[in-house]
Amino acid sequence: MTDFRNKVVYQIYPKSFLDTNGDGLGELRGVIQKLDYLKDLGVDYLWLTPFYPSPQNDNGYDVADYRAVDPRYGTMEDLEELIREADKRGIGLMLDMVFNHTSTDHEWFQRAMAGDPEYKDYYIFRKGKPDGTPPTNWESKFGGNAWEYVPKFDEYYLHLFDVSQADLNWENPKVRQEIQNILKFWMNKGVKGFRFDVINLISKGSYEDDNQGDGRRFYTDGPKIHQYLEEMCSNTFGKDPSFITVGEMSSTSMEHCFKYAGADSGELSMVFSFHHLKVDFMGNEKWVLVPADFKKLKEILFSWQQGMSDHNAWNAVFWCNHDQPRVVTRFGDEGEYWKQSAKMLASVIHGLRGTPYVYQGEELGMTNAGFTNLSQYRDVESINHFQILRDKGMSEEAAYCILKEHSRDNARTPMQWDTSENAGFSSGAPWISMNPNYTRINAQSQVGDPDSIFSYYKALIRLRKEYPVIAQGDFAPVDQAHPQVLAYRRSLDGTQLYCINNFYRKPCRWRCPESLEGCRVLLSNYPDAKPGEEIELRPYESMILIRETK
């Protein structure tokens, strides 16, 4: 069985990674061209977000054909070459599988709309209420009601996301068989892993109005979710012990994740949970501006670390992905302490128990986009919510401030390779605006620099492979109540590793409640870091210390 505990996954958003043909869109050949860069970084798997045929209403998460490559991304031959070339470098491909819904352009949905009863049962159609209103008051995650009326049938279909993303009916065994066949198709191509999009939403409970919220309690971690995942696993990737899988778990509970990613559960290798990335929300409300709650961040990170460990379950650990703003803008400093804060935030994640995920550009300290006009945005969620905020009476200026902080497009600006036009991403006009700071923040300036953020990520990835305590050790929080320091200890067979981080710009004196005698500095974002009984932590200072038994 593959031990994924010392592995690191790198997420690629192909559309924004590298364009080799000048059409402004990144494609699979761009990924092939940069495999040596990724090998140098040291990552083990590449998770590619969807490159399947799609109308792109949700940037590819509205899939129209699960077994093909969208021509804008290249050909099946390109993908097969990418699998081969990555494998030569010891890197496996992890594909993104979107099985909660399909695009309404998908052949299955088209047949359903043509009135074929077999395919209509692939989706969730319901009659409206007696007064003709939607079956329930559930809200789409992109805004508005989650049901779309079809006059032809006098029925509604469910779409938890965009109206063009119709939810699949997992109660139908034919749907589950179709999905297993799709997985086998890609496994036969040599793919080494799958990431499952919002997979914990596939089992719906009762279809009734939610008088307490937006409906999510009726479809999150639903009644048959574990049955469905066990069945999918045992019939496909579960037969290959070297295969790795990760489930994106929307608004999940830790108790469910003990099963989703338990060592003996027969469901998934690991899970993404997002609670730690809601500490700058107001409740579950994303489209607000509130300061990040550091105390809550630590509580969530540490409780998941301990809970998952106690139940022999495994986390994916991360700050960034294609749906999250850039972490150095969000929790760090774009200005004077850009480099120190980016490195500190990397230390926090890479020292944890779990498989770290690096999102493209994170290893360079890429920042939020700084867009100032709605015409620059491409994300359907951001555009919809801008209008929702304006309809609520918010000023244009205030609405833009919120988008600048929270829009998913912050993560989707093109990868910054060098200082040439369009950062070396494309010779044409990019599909989304460049971040103008690419002349300062780019791969070319960092790859050979031992003090760069890139080199720091490279060191963190190497340490996970060199020191079993990072990959396998127990986890314990250290001085959890401290208002400024995030610190924890990892332990394995008499070896202790301490990860100590000043999360703020303000310096502080910190006394570790445990003895650090005999510890040496393994890695730090300041060249002269020194452990001691009392440590003067500089702005965003991070140090990883180790004490080994002889």
Side-chain angles (χ1 to χ4, degrees):
M1 176 174 282
T2 295
D3 187 349
F4 44 77
R5 292 177 296 180
N6 69 352
K7 302 295 191 285
V8 175
V9 182
Y10 186 93
Q11 182 191 353
I12 289 178
Y13 195 69
K15 198 172 182 177
S16 295
F17 193 64
L18 181 65
D19 167 28
T20 62
N21 62 10
D23 67 355
L25 293 168
E27 73 293 283
L28 296 175
R29 297 222 65 82
V31 182
I32 295 169
Q33 194 168 306
K34 292 297 182 180
L35 284 172
D36 287 337
Y37 168 86
L38 297 162
K39 183 177 189 294
D40 183 32
L41 183 59
V43 297
D44 303 282
Y45 293 91
L46 303 181
W47 154 27
L48 268 62
T49 56
F51 49 75
Y52 318 109
S54 164
Q56 295 288 319
N57 291 326
D58 187 20
N59 277 292
Y61 283 87
D62 45 329
V63 179
D65 183 349
Y66 290 107
R67 288 185 176 87
V69 175
D70 192 312
R72 76 187 77 196
Y73 291 120
T75 64
M76 187 62 79
E77 289 72 27
D78 292 333
L79 183 65
E80 289 164 350
E81 182 182 342
L82 173 56
I83 292 168
R84 286 194 307 273
E85 290 299 318
D87 188 59
K88 284 180 191 174
R89 293 162 175 82
I91 299 172
L93 235 61
M94 175 186 274
L95 299 195
D96 211 323
M97 292 293 154
V98 189
F99 289 147
N100 177 68
H101 45 262
T102 73
S103 167
T104 51
D105 282 8
H106 196 288
E107 181 189 6
W108 300 341
F109 193 80
Q110 292 296 308
R111 289 194 183 188
M113 292 298 279
D116 185 328
E118 180 181 357
Y119 284 94
K120 208 166 158 238
D121 195 36
Y122 274 37
Y123 297 91
I124 299 168
F125 283 89
R126 290 286 184 277
K127 288 289 183 188
K129 293 174 181 169
D131 64 359
T133 55
T136 73
N137 66 348
W138 298 0
E139 290 176 24
S140 158
K141 290 179 182 283
F142 291 166
N145 192 274
W147 296 92
E148 179 70 5
Y149 183 60
V150 182
K152 177 179 178 179
F153 303 136
D154 189 29
E155 289 179 323
Y156 291 80
Y157 69 83
L158 180 68
H159 63 93
L160 294 180
F161 293 86
D162 189 62
V163 66
S164 66
Q165 293 167 292
D167 279 50
L168 284 165
N169 175 21
W170 276 69
E171 293 277 339
N172 183 347
K174 288 182 179 175
V175 168
R176 302 201 301 276
Q177 186 60 56
E178 293 266 23
I179 282 162
Q180 291 170 30
N181 292 342
I182 291 162
L183 295 177
K184 289 172 186 173
F185 172 84
W186 288 114
M187 290 176 72
N188 289 336
K189 292 276 185 192
V191 166
K192 298 292 200 302
F194 292 126
R195 180 261 188 189
F196 293 102
D197 185 63
V198 294
I199 195 67
N200 65 320
L201 308 185
I202 60 176
S203 172
K204 276 64 174 179
S206 55
Y207 294 92
E208 58 186 274
D209 278 345
D210 187 354
N211 52 20
Q212 299 174 28
D214 56 11
R216 71 181 63 197
R217 65 194 178 98
F218 293 114
Y219 58 74
T220 302
D221 301 322
K224 295 183 180 175
I225 182 64
H226 297 291
Q227 173 194 323
Y228 293 159
L229 290 181
E230 283 171 13
E231 178 186 84
M232 182 171 72
C233 172
S234 62
N235 289 329
T236 58
F237 50 81
K239 296 178 177 179
D240 181 351
S242 69
F243 216 81
I244 72 160
T245 54
V246 59
E248 180 194 29
M249 301 298 170
S250 173
S251 304
T252 191
S253 72
M254 200 188 308
E255 290 67 33
H256 276 287
C257 290
F258 298 157
K259 295 180 186 175
Y260 292 141
D264 304 313
S265 70
E267 295 185 27
L268 301 169
S269 308
M270 65 192 90
V271 290
F272 286 119
S273 66
F274 295 89
H275 302 282
H276 67 297
L277 294 176
K278 295 181 179 178
V279 296
D280 52 358
F281 288 18
M282 191 175 288
N284 267 321
E285 175 52 42
K286 166 179 174 177
W287 300 97
V288 292
L289 280 183
V290 294
D293 186 333
F294 179 56
K295 179 170 180 265
K296 187 176 174 186
L297 175 69
K298 287 200 286 186
E299 284 171 0
I300 293 167
L301 276 179
F302 292 171
S303 65
W304 276 79
Q305 284 284 297
Q306 291 178 291
M308 294 291 274
S309 178
D310 290 347
H311 289 82
N312 201 15
W314 199 250
N315 272 318
V317 290
F318 69 104
W319 290 126
C320 299
N321 64 29
H322 62 290
D323 285 336
Q324 300 293 332
R326 292 288 182 177
V327 70
V328 72
T329 302
R330 190 174 192 175
F331 298 139
D333 183 345
E334 285 190 7
E336 183 182 359
Y337 296 105
W338 161 71
K339 187 183 287 189
Q340 290 88 343
S341 65
K343 291 179 180 181
M344 179 276 291
L345 290 161
S347 295
V348 170
I349 289 298
H350 285 256
L352 291 174
R353 179 185 181 276
T355 298
Y357 282 65
V358 179
Y359 178 68
Q360 65 183 48
E362 179 187 343
E363 77 280 13
L364 305 175
M366 280 178 61
T367 67
N368 275 4
F371 291 159
T372 55
N373 193 287
L374 199 62
S375 65
Q376 294 174 285
Y377 287 92
R378 300 289 179 267
D379 173 34
V380 59
E381 181 192 36
S382 301
I383 294 164
N384 287 355
H385 276 89
F386 181 84
Q387 194 55 51
I388 289 167
L389 294 171
R390 295 286 285 126
D391 290 347
K392 287 178 178 175
M394 185 177 287
S395 72
E396 197 171 84
E397 184 183 11
Y400 275 129
C401 283
I402 291 174
L403 257 62
K404 282 172 79 170
E405 292 296 324
H406 290 301
S407 172
R408 303 190 301 180
D409 279 341
N410 284 309
R412 299 174 181 184
T413 57
M415 184 73 173
Q416 294 168 202
W417 293 109
D418 57 39
T419 57
S420 67
E421 190 178 4
N422 298 327
F425 163 71
S426 176
S427 60
W431 72 277
I432 189 171
S433 300
M434 299 298 308
N435 188 321
N437 65 16
Y438 73 82
T439 54
R440 178 172 62 88
I441 301 173
N442 59 73
Q444 182 184 44
S445 65
Q446 292 196 33
V447 168
D449 176 5
D451 187 45
S452 68
I453 297 166
F454 177 89
S455 293
Y456 198 85
Y457 270 83
K458 191 173 169 178
L460 287 166
I461 292 166
R462 186 182 68 248
L463 292 176
R464 176 165 285 265
K465 298 181 192 323
E466 289 179 7
Y467 291 89
V469 66
I470 303 177
Q472 302 168 30
D474 294 336
F475 174 91
V478 174
D479 198 9
Q480 184 168 338
H482 197 282
Q484 198 166 332
V485 173
L486 188 157
Y488 55 84
R489 182 186 72 246
R490 307 289 310 284
S491 307
L492 181 72
D493 299 333
T495 296
Q496 287 89 38
L497 179 135
Y498 289 89
C499 186
I500 300 160
N501 306 278
N502 179 5
F503 215 77
Y504 290 91
R505 183 188 183 95
K506 182 183 169 188
C508 72
R509 294 177 72 84
W510 182 70
R511 180 180 286 273
C512 184
E514 303 177 15
S515 170
L516 297 178
E517 189 177 348
C519 287
R520 63 184 173 89
V521 177
L522 203 54
L523 187 66
S524 175
N525 58 355
Y526 281 82
D528 54 348
K530 290 185 179 68
E533 278 189 37
E534 193 167 62
I535 304 172
E536 288 276 358
L537 289 169
R538 290 162 285 192
Y540 299 105
E541 183 161 11
S542 173
M543 55 178 78
I544 297 175
L545 312 177
I546 194 162
R547 179 168 53 217
E548 298 171 282
T549 50
K550 301 298 180 194

